[in-house]
Amino acid sequence: MASLLEICQDAIAGVQDNAIPSTIIGNSSPLSMLLKVCAQDVGRSLERAYKWQALKKSYSFATSDGVTAYDVPEEMRRFVNMSIWSATDQWPLINVGHARYRELLSGIVVSSIRFQYEFSANQINLNPAPAADSVNIVFDYFTSYFCETSGGTGLDRWAADTDVSRLDGNLMSLGVRYRYLARQGLPYEEEKAEFLSAISDLRADDQPLSVIDVGVIGQAWPVNVSDGSWGI
């Protein structure tokens, strides 16, 4: 993985007659300060715009008796769709959305076999309220921490020259270069086009393609029925 210093040095190499900086963080030179801002902007824009596999993480929590609202990681940008499961019961939770959740709270409700949930106020809200027996809930998400320390601690902003990007280092350098040129009032169209082309190429290779079998009827997970012991 490329460090902040390497990203910025690669970005500025061959651009104008600038001397390549030996430090970025803590360097008060206009060039180093601008490169840091550009690197920050590129990292944040890339993590917001795409679901990079390098930014995918997992999280779990245990329910408590009567507690319905549970926090999610502060670094979470977005859920991985349909990834919220009860690892204890080995079935998925049912996403009912805001309107249906309000109906569950305010209307006539039949006891549910599975947990139903909605996401609001940065919390997962469960229905029905968990019982005394703890249930382990797991889900996947994409983090907003696009970089990390050399020791592996995630960050949403550059803090040291040795911090490394979780995203492709060359892509980061291309983004920093075109943003630097744009902020300097210099021609940047070619560099921006190269940056966008690199995004397209990397996104195409970022995930293996799934095989879709059109002859198979998928499981209708929202059906709220037990797995067996049916009587007639």
Side-chain angles (χ1 to χ4, degrees):
M1 295 186 289
S3 69
L4 170 64
L5 181 59
E6 292 169 336
I7 288 169
C8 292
Q9 287 177 334
D10 289 346
I12 203 65
V15 177
Q16 295 181 294
D17 295 324
N18 289 310
I20 297 177
S22 58
T23 60
I24 299 297
I25 301 298
N27 191 329
S28 60
S29 74
L31 175 60
S32 292
M33 294 175 66
L34 179 55
L35 290 173
K36 177 189 173 184
V37 170
C38 291
Q40 189 72 30
D41 290 347
V42 171
R44 284 180 171 171
S45 65
L46 285 174
E47 67 84 3
R48 284 197 308 266
Y50 306 106
K51 299 176 182 178
W52 303 103
Q53 55 81 19
L55 301 184
K56 180 175 172 289
K57 302 185 71 175
S58 296
Y59 180 74
S60 65
F61 62 89
T63 62
S64 299
D65 187 14
V67 178
T68 59
Y70 296 86
D71 293 331
V72 298
E74 181 182 6
E75 65 180 285
M76 190 180 84
R77 171 64 65 190
R78 57 177 67 88
F79 283 107
V80 174
N81 290 336
M82 301 179 68
S83 72
I84 305 182
W85 279 68
S86 166
T88 303
D89 300 316
Q90 298 182 323
W91 57 30
L93 275 62
I94 303 171
N95 182 4
V96 296
H98 303 311
R100 172 59 179 162
Y101 193 78
R102 172 50 57 190
E103 180 182 352
L104 293 172
L105 296 179
S106 305
I108 299 175
V109 179
V110 178
S111 179
S112 176
I113 296 171
R114 302 187 204 169
F115 283 124
Q116 303 179 66
Y117 77 95
E118 61 115 29
F119 183 63
S120 62
N122 293 319
Q123 291 183 313
I124 294 174
N125 300 289
L126 300 178
N127 184 280
D133 294 335
S134 179
V135 173
N136 192 40
I137 306 296
V138 299
F139 64 88
D140 298 328
Y141 67 96
F142 291 97
T143 177
S144 62
Y145 290 0
F146 64 87
C147 60
E148 60 186 45
T149 67
S150 57
T153 301
L155 301 168
D156 65 349
R157 65 184 66 242
W158 302 105
D161 286 351
T162 54
D163 292 344
V164 294
S165 173
R166 289 175 168 175
L167 303 175
D168 184 82
N170 181 62
L171 178 64
M172 292 289 295
S173 291
L174 291 173
V176 172
R177 179 178 297 166
Y178 110 73
R179 285 175 179 264
Y180 167 80
L181 292 172
R183 288 173 180 262
Q184 293 291 85
L186 299 169
Y188 63 88
E189 289 78 10
E190 182 178 345
E191 287 77 10
K192 182 177 181 179
E194 186 177 4
F195 172 63
L196 295 177
S197 177
I199 290 176
S200 180
D201 291 341
L202 288 171
R203 287 189 66 199
D205 297 334
D206 196 52
Q207 293 277 1
L209 298 178
S210 301
V211 176
I212 300 176
D213 188 346
V214 296
V216 176
I217 299 176
Q219 170 68 44
W221 288 121
V223 177
N224 194 22
V225 296
S226 62
D227 290 336
S229 301
W230 296 357
I232 299 178

